């Protein structure tokens, strides 16, 4: 069983990870909402444990975004003791269950197992997205327009993958930075870096019927071209 654990309290996250692993789960940890959203959208987890109070993107926002794409993913939210509003908002945003901090580990484990039992069989993975004239095959890591292969650098690929996975929705700069961060590479943080890559990707997407719109102060949005040439 693959779990995503989104928790910014490092001590709690370490303890939970160790206990969950001991209980037989494999655990991926996200220390903030941007990483949590990125991982939940891009990987297949059997369930997610999502703290509501997360830095960068709060847990409720993460949940809403993920729910739109993955309606069947079981999500248990963690809320603060006095967070009645959070519990209600969490359930409204699509959480399957919640636990109030502090909690005992056996309770978390029991709730998770109950959630996993209730889960419908996982739907088959989404087929390669084919939008406009763009064909995108994530498994084969190939993107093409009208059969012409796009040459994309790894960062350009990650950027396109992120924009496509959230097409018609605003992708925040923090999410782009998170998408570029992995074990080996720090995300580039030079000012203007994201704009440079957006500019390059826009040029490569010419003729695809898709365009990347800048949403000032928020981020970017991939959408069908309003006036296709
Ligand atoms: Ca927190």
């Amino acid at each position: 069983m693959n779990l995503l654990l989104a928790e910014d309290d490092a001590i709690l996250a370490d303890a939970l990870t160790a206990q969950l692993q001991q209980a037989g789960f494999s655990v991926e940890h996200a220390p903030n909402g941007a990483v949590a959203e990125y991982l939940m959208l891009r990987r297949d987890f059997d369930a997610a444990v999502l703290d509501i109070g997360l830095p960068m993107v709060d847990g409720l926002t993460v949940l809403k975004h993920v729910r739109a794409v993955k309606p069947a993913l079981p999500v248990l939210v963690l809320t603060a003791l006095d967070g009645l509003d959070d519990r209600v908002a969490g359930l409204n945003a699509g959480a399957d269950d919640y636990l109030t901090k502090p909690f005992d580990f056996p309770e978390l484990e029991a709730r998770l197992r109950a959630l996993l039992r209730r889960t419908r069989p996982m739907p088959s993975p989404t087929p390669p997205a084919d939008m406009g004239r763009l064909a995108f095959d994530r498994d084969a890591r190939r993107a093409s327009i009208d059969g012409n292969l796009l040459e994309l650098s790894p960062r350009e690929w990650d950027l396109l993958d992120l924009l496509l996975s959230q097409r018609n929705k605003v992708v925040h700069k923090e999410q782009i930075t998170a998408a570029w961060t992995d074990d080996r590479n720090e995300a580039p943080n030079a000012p203007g870096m994201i704009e440079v890559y957006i500019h390059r990707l826009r040029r490569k997407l010419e003729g695809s019927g898709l365009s990347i719109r800048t949403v000032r102060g928020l981020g970017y949005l991939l959408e069908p071209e309003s006036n296709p040439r």
Side-chain angles (χ1 to χ4, degrees), residues 6-9 12 51-55 78 101:
E7 171 58 65
D8 57 311
D9 178 335
L12 179 59
D51 184 27
I52 292 291
L54 286 176
L78 303 179
K101 293 179 181 177

Side-chain angles (χ1 to χ4, degrees), residues 72-120:
L73 176 71
V75 178
L76 185 151
V77 295
L78 303 179
T79 68
L81 186 58
D82 53 358
L84 177 62
D85 291 347
D86 282 349
R87 295 200 280 281
V88 174
L91 293 172
N92 280 335
D96 299 285
D97 200 356
Y98 66 82
L99 258 184
T100 303
K101 293 179 181 177
F103 52 85
D104 291 326
F105 178 73
E107 180 160 23
L108 174 63
E109 187 186 355
R111 300 276 192 107
L112 272 175
R113 296 212 185 275
L115 265 190
L116 289 164
R117 275 196 302 275
R118 288 210 302 266
T119 312
R120 297 166 289 244

Side-chain angles (χ1 to χ4, degrees), residues 19 32 50-52 56 62 134 159 167 183 195 199 207:
Q19 287 168 312
N32 62 57
L50 179 65
D51 184 27
I52 292 291
M56 293 180 82
V62 172
L134 176 73
L159 181 57
R167 53 184 181 269
D183 322 333
E195 287 79 358
H199 177 69

